[in-house]
C-alpha cells in the first residue's frame, strides 16, 4: 500500500511540474484567449495546444518509442472544436504494442462546463475532473477525484485571468486519504498546495513559475522558432528547471503543413522518448 501511494505522490509531483510543449497564446483577442486557455487547462495527454482556426474535427495517431527499449505505445486522439477553436469533445486511448489499452480520457460538455473521465489501467485508478466556467465561458475552477485500491485523491485548481482573458495564475490544493480494503478511511492523509504563474512574451507563453507548499520553487521556459516567410510556427522548446538546473528538455517540431498552414505531422522529443504524430483534419 505505502509503495503504491509513494509512487503516486512522485507521479503527482512530476505531473505538477512537467509541462509538455503547448503553445499557449495571449493575443489581443479576448475570445480567442479564452478558447486557448480552456484548451490548455484541459491538458489532455499528448495534446499540442496551438491556435485552431476553422477546424471542426481532427484525429491524431501517435506512436511513441523509447530510445533505450524496444517497446512502443500507440494512441488515437479524436478532437472536436466549436467555431472559436475551443475543444467541445475529446477522446484519447493509449495502447501498448499489441493493442492492449492502458489509458483513456473522455472529455465532454455537461451543464456546468466540462467533465473528463480518466481510466488508468496500469495504475488501477479511475478519475473524474469537473471543469466549471464563469459567465464568459472561462474555466475558473476544476475539481478532480481519483480513486485507487488503497487511497482517494482530491485536487481543486482555481484559475485567474487578466483583463484580456489571458491565464496568469493557477492555484492548486490537493489531499490524499488512505483507505482500507473495504474502502473506509484509515485516518491517514497528506495535503499539499502549489501556485503556477504564467508569463508571456510577444503573445506566447514564455515562462511558468512554480511555488510549492514545501518552499520549492521551479520553472519552465519556452522558446519558439518560426518560418517568417510562410508565417507559421515550426518548433517549440521547453526546459524544466529546478534550483537552476535543467531536469528535462522537450522539443516539438512541426514537420509538414497543408495549404491552410495547419500542421499535419509533428515530432515530439522528451529526454529519451520520441513521439511521432499524424493529424487528419476536417474543416467547417
Amino acid at each position: 500500500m505505502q509503495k503504491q501511494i509513494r509512487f503516486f505522490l512522485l507521479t503527482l509531483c512530476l505531473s505538477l511540474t512537467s509541462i509538455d510543449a503547448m503553445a499557449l497564446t495571449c493575443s489581443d483577442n479576448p475570445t480567442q484567449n479564452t478558447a486557448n486557455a480552456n484548451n490548455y487547462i484541459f491538458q489532455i495527454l499528448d495534446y499540442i495546444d496551438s491556435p485552431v482556426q476553422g477546424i471542426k474535427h481532427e484525429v491524431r495517431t501517435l506512436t511513441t518509442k523509447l530510445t533505450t527499449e524496444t517497446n512502443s505505445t500507440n494512441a488515437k486522439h479524436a478532437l472536436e472544436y466549436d467555431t472559436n477553436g475551443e475543444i467541445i469533445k475529446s477522446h484519447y486511448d493509449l495502447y501498448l504494442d499489441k493493442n492492449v489499452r492502458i489509458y483513456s480520457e473522455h472529455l465532454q460538455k455537461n451543464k456546468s462546463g466540462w467533465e473528463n473521465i480518466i481510466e488508468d489501467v496500469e495504475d488501477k485508478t479511475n478519475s473524474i475532473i469537473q471543469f466549471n466556467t464563469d459567465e464568459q465561458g472561462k474555466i475558473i475552477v476544476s475539481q478532480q477525484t481519483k480513486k485507487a485500491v488503497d487511497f482517494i485523491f482530491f485536487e481543486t485548481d482555481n484559475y485567474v485571468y487578466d483583463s484580456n482573458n489571458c491565464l496568469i495564475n493557477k492555484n492548486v490544493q490537493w489531499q490524499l486519504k488512505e483507505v482500507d480494503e473495504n474502502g473506509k478511511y484509515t485516518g491517514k492523509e497528506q495535503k499539499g498546495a502549489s501556485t503556477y504563474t504564467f508569463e508571456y512574451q510577444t503573445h506566447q507563453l514564455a515562462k511558468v513559475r512554480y511555488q510549492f507548499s514545501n518552499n520549492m520553487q521551479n520553472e519552465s521556459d519556452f522558446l519558439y522558432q518560426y518560418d517568417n516567410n510562410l508565417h507559421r510556427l515550426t518548433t517549440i522548446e521547453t526546459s524544466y528547471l529546478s534550483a537552476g538546473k535543467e531536469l528535462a528538455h522537450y522539443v516539438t517540431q512541426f514537420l509538414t503543413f497543408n495549404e491552410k498552414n495547419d500542421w499535419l505531422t509533428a515530432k515530439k522529443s522528451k529526454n529519451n522518448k520520441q513521439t511521432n504524430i499524424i493529424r487528419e483534419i476536417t474543416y467547417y
Side-chain angles (χ1 to χ4, degrees), residues 7 27 63 75 99 109 120 133 156 160 162 183 214 246 282-283:
F7 176 77
S27 69
T63 303
N99 291 326
K109 275 196 168 184
D120 194 320
T133 61
T156 300
V160 181
D162 66 11
N214 61 0
E246 183 176 295
T282 302
Y283 293 93

Side-chain angles (χ1 to χ4, degrees), residues 46-100:
D46 286 325
Y47 178 70
I48 302 173
D49 186 3
S50 52
V52 174
Q53 296 182 349
I55 296 176
K56 182 178 183 179
H57 180 263
E58 66 170 288
V59 177
R60 303 182 187 190
T61 303
L62 306 96
T63 303
T64 301
K65 291 186 178 182
L66 297 174
T67 57
T68 57
E69 299 179 12
T70 57
N71 290 339
S72 64
T73 60
N74 299 287
K76 282 284 187 181
H77 191 180
L79 291 148
E80 294 182 17
Y81 303 90
D82 66 12
T83 53
N84 292 321
E86 183 174 84
I87 296 172
I88 55 176
K89 191 174 182 180
S90 169
H91 190 90
Y92 177 97
D93 286 315
L94 178 66
Y95 301 88
L96 282 178
D97 287 318
K98 296 182 179 179
N99 291 326
V100 177

